[in-house]
Amino acid sequence: MKKYQGKGVYGAVAVGKVSVFKRADAAPERLQIEDTASEIARLETAKEKAIEELSAIYEKALAEVGEENAQIFEIHMMMVEDDDYNEAIVDMINEEGVNAEYAVAVTGENFANMFASMDDSYMQARAADVRDISRRIIACISGGGDENLSFDDKVIICADDLAPSETVSLDKDKVLAFVTAFGSSNSHTAILARNMNIPAIIGVGEQFLSEICDGDTAIADGFTGQFICCPDDETLCAAMKKMQEESDKKALLLNLLGKENITLDGTKINIYANIGSVSDIGAVLSNDAGGVGLFRSEFLYLENTDYPTEEQQFAAYKKVLEEMAPKKVIIRTLDIGADKQADYFGLEKEENPAMGLRAIRICLTRPEVFKTQLRALYRASVFGNLGIMFPMITSVGELEQILAICEDVKKELTAENAEFSDGIELGIMIETPAAAIISDKLAPMVDFFSVGTNDLTQYTLACDRQNPHIEPFCDTHHAAILRLIELSAQNAHKFGKWIGICGELAADTSLTETFLKMGIDELSVSPSFVLRVRDAVRKINLKSQV
Ligand code: PEP
Ligand code: MG
């Protein structure tokens, strides 16, 4: 029996046979070529094939994991067409007279190394994408495909790492789980696994691949992050039991559709869902969420090559409000910067982007961008039940500026006879320690708070959320974080305002009771977690607690 500890990125248990994932050779031989023109023609044909494949992967991802998560494959298509990348390949073929596979491999590696050496963690992550597309083009040149991604039986895939396109190409019905030597829980691959509901463990360490074989029986426990190969009978029985319990639980959860989020002693809360694009609404409704607690509006900016116009934004907000009506939809204003970059913003490179010009700081330094979004939001408000939420607040002064801009927008719209609802709730995210500490000053100025535990954890514990090496130091249950949430709840209630949590911690059912005791009014989680949290709420009795 061999045990490995990694990090679970999707909580579920799988027992089955191992299949070690082997890639097509990514290091092709260097050959001398006389006819460079026909070599370039081979390259062009392969690129067309790569684009076709990526477009099919994009469609598959769109159907399985939603628009926001599928976007990475649009970026891959753009990378295949990138002028600098292509010029470098063609120059190498012409100048050195080498074969196309070799030129792509060398150029891909050069570009990947360049990205990897950048300070910005978002750009560093692009290294994996360049390697991914280069591998694909090489496979297309040499006529190879993704054969290794289809399996006859259900298997636990074990790999050094999986590229996003590989993850999406996996046949979901044949994959029991995947386990990787490397990877970070914020990587696209981990996010895709979560959205595809595949048990997944990352970062179990490099040596595991040399110690396991195809066909070995193994257990992947996405709850604990433990991967056990060749388990003894007792361990195997325990895992089978846990798996059965989980599947019974899942079936039971479906019974909770349509039920209230109410504790045994009668305390009710709202359970809402987090979304990243309009196409996620289907999952919100099928999981019976009471509303949308966080609509990350950045997707509108990230998927465009220029600032989205007021009309483009209006159409998206109107659609989501109409589809959710009469349920509440809280749309968060632009949270770009740090790990989410759009070139046309022309943001300068920063030493510490997570603490730099991001989110509301960009909106306040570029009020015209902010106003365009607010105008679209206010105009869309008549089509449903809108709340607007502002990210990365640290001071009363910022909030005063924001509210003044909202008033300006309302005046402008009134002067233009444009309609907007007078019942829009305005709230702020509590995602900096500063906001939590001065929450008594901020509460009277807004209608609600929503705690962003992802950033609150990052800033409170000084743990960069993008850095996989510091995960061991990042204790999301740290007393400092819980105290800041409790303080914010007390201050919200002191002024008669409601408070929710929309960071990942909202779905951590080991804390549901703690949150309810603090008086948290709303938990906003990924659509697939709504029923799990409802289940946890319905088992709690606040009155029987000491
Ligand atoms: C958060 O910080 O907890 C949050 C919900 O926002 P995001 O993850 O988009 O930064
Ligand atoms: Mg945040």
Side-chain angles (χ1 to χ4, degrees), residues 9 21 23 57 60-61 64-65 69 72-73 76 129 132 135-136 146 149 151 157 159 161-173 175 177-180 187-200 202:
V9 293
F21 177 70
R23 284 194 181 90
I57 293 174
K60 186 168 190 280
E64 289 180 359
V65 293
N69 293 303
I72 185 68
F73 304 112
H76 280 198
D129 296 316
D132 194 4
R135 256 195 314 262
R136 179 170 301 283
D146 288 335
L149 295 171
F151 311 93
I157 313 260
D161 204 350
L162 284 171
S165 66
E166 290 166 339
T167 311
V168 166
S169 300
L170 297 171
D171 179 353
K172 252 187 5 174
D173 297 332
V175 178
F178 68 74
V179 182
T180 63
S187 64
H188 283 300
T189 302
I191 293 169
L192 287 168
R194 247 177 249 134
N195 283 282
M196 291 164 81
N197 302 342
I198 296 181
I202 56 165

Side-chain angles (χ1 to χ4, degrees), residues 4 158-160 179-181 204-212 227:
Y4 305 89
C158 297
D160 52 353
V179 182
T180 63
V204 295
E206 197 167 2
Q207 83 289 358
F208 99 113
L209 285 173
S210 59
E211 296 173 357
I212 60 170
F227 175 64

